[in-house]
Amino acid sequence: MDNVCQCTDYNDRQSNAILYNILNRENDKSSHNNLNYNLMPHRCNCEMRRTVCLKSPADICQGASGVLVKTIHFMRNLPAFNQLPLNDQLSLLQSCWAPLFILGLAQEGMNFDVIDTPADSMLKRILLNSQESSEMEREQPTLAGVNKLKSCLKKFWSLDLSPKEYAYLKGTMIFNPDVKDLKAALFVEGLQQEAQHALREVVQPLHPADRGRFADILLAASMLKTITPNLITELFFRPVIGQADLLDFLVDMLFSR
């Protein structure tokens, strides 16, 4: 992996600052007592753009697969979901599987660590040139993306949701009337409102003193939309499914009887 910093503006600023201080050391004896905040070092963002992978892929991928199976089974067992037109079910599946999976990770208390993606040898790049090209086309998980996912998980862990709160929150995520081209959009909107009402009814008796809990849960749920399905796929499932399309597996799982 190339560890050279790519923040050219940052490097130029630091180089100019050093040169400036050398040239002006004799001209301004008192400058060392005055902080010039324009010359203070800034944090480099290159580290956050580093590509990463799971530190223990065998164990974590197995656990993630279990969470994914539970996620799809949850959707299959919702009578209202099964009443929707087939195309609507497919559209909602594509829209909500990643947020539901993250909620599943949070509910299972599943933590994980990442390491830098190892650089391939020149021989491997030559032998696997076609595979390498397809992998380069996909957006690889970055440290910034993983940190965002971990922050989302920590937020839900701090809320310590009950199983019922998780269940109704998942309902609000599944029945999303904003998904494009839904034939039963009004029905889906009604289902989402019912799920939100049920969530509120569960929250109040469980936490009567915490009047802001319902809003806090919805705010935490909004964080789920910032995590891309691609990050989830590449981080947790690419080592398992190889070049296959994860959505194809999800469709098979959802409609297999």
Side-chain angles (χ1 to χ4, degrees):
M1 177 177 294
D2 187 4
N3 291 323
V4 178
C5 176
Q6 300 299 318
C7 295
T8 54
D9 292 340
Y10 168 81
N11 287 334
D12 292 341
R13 182 168 61 251
Q14 288 301 100
S15 299
N16 293 336
I18 294 173
L19 180 61
Y20 178 87
N21 288 335
I22 292 175
L23 294 177
N24 289 275
R25 185 175 298 165
E26 297 299 325
N27 295 333
D28 188 359
K29 295 294 185 180
S30 62
S31 62
H32 66 281
N33 292 324
N34 299 317
L35 289 177
N36 188 336
Y37 291 99
N38 292 326
L39 304 180
M40 294 295 287
H42 297 266
R43 182 177 180 181
C44 175
N45 290 324
C46 289
E47 179 182 0
M48 301 305 291
R49 293 197 295 266
R50 285 177 7 222
T51 58
V52 295
C53 59
L54 292 172
K55 184 177 181 180
S56 304
D59 294 335
I60 300 301
C61 287
Q62 182 178 3
S65 297
V67 171
L68 189 62
V69 170
K70 290 181 180 179
T71 297
I72 301 303
H73 282 179
F74 179 84
M75 296 182 68
R76 286 181 56 180
N77 292 330
L78 292 176
F81 182 81
N82 293 319
Q83 294 174 11
L84 294 171
L86 180 61
N87 287 337
D88 284 8
Q89 293 184 38
L90 291 173
S91 297
L92 293 176
L93 170 66
Q94 187 172 5
S95 170
C96 74
W97 77 263
L100 290 186
F101 173 79
I102 299 172
L103 287 177
L105 292 181
Q107 189 171 9
E108 296 290 335
M110 186 172 166
N111 207 346
F112 61 92
D113 295 312
V114 295
I115 57 175
D116 288 352
T117 304
D120 292 335
S121 65
M122 182 61 68
L123 177 60
K124 182 177 180 181
R125 292 183 181 183
I126 295 174
L127 295 176
L128 302 179
N129 183 51
S130 59
Q131 180 178 347
E132 173 97 354
S133 299
S134 63
E135 289 179 355
M136 290 300 292
E137 292 176 359
R138 296 194 303 265
E139 181 182 354
Q140 300 300 307
T142 62
L143 184 60
V146 170
N147 285 346
K148 187 183 296 184
L149 172 58
K150 283 180 168 284
S151 296
C152 188
L153 292 174
K154 289 178 181 178
K155 179 60 178 179
F156 280 105
W157 290 336
S158 68
L159 290 171
D160 193 22
L161 271 63
S162 68
K164 285 188 176 182
E165 286 174 318
Y166 270 115
Y168 290 126
L169 180 58
K170 290 176 183 178
T172 68
M173 303 303 297
I174 293 173
F175 300 114
N176 180 9
D178 295 328
V179 173
K180 293 183 179 180
D181 300 325
L182 290 178
K183 295 181 179 179
L186 291 178
F187 182 53
V188 170
E189 182 178 8
L191 292 173
Q192 185 183 66
Q193 292 175 353
E194 289 182 15
Q196 290 176 344
H197 178 75
L199 176 60
R200 184 189 294 271
E201 292 298 309
V202 167
V203 168
Q204 290 178 345
L206 287 177
H207 304 272
D210 189 355
R211 296 184 177 181
R213 181 174 176 83
F214 178 72
D216 289 340
I217 293 175
L218 294 184
L219 181 61
S222 67
M223 297 173 60
L224 298 171
K225 300 178 182 178
T226 67
I227 313 298
T228 65
N230 181 76
L231 173 68
I232 301 300
T233 300
E234 298 300 322
L235 186 64
F236 294 104
F237 301 109
R238 188 60 61 193
V240 178
I241 66 175
Q243 302 300 312
D245 187 346
L246 179 61
L247 189 60
D248 291 339
F249 287 101
L250 299 181
V251 172
D252 289 341
M253 293 167 58
L254 182 63
F255 296 108
S256 63
R257 301 298 179 185

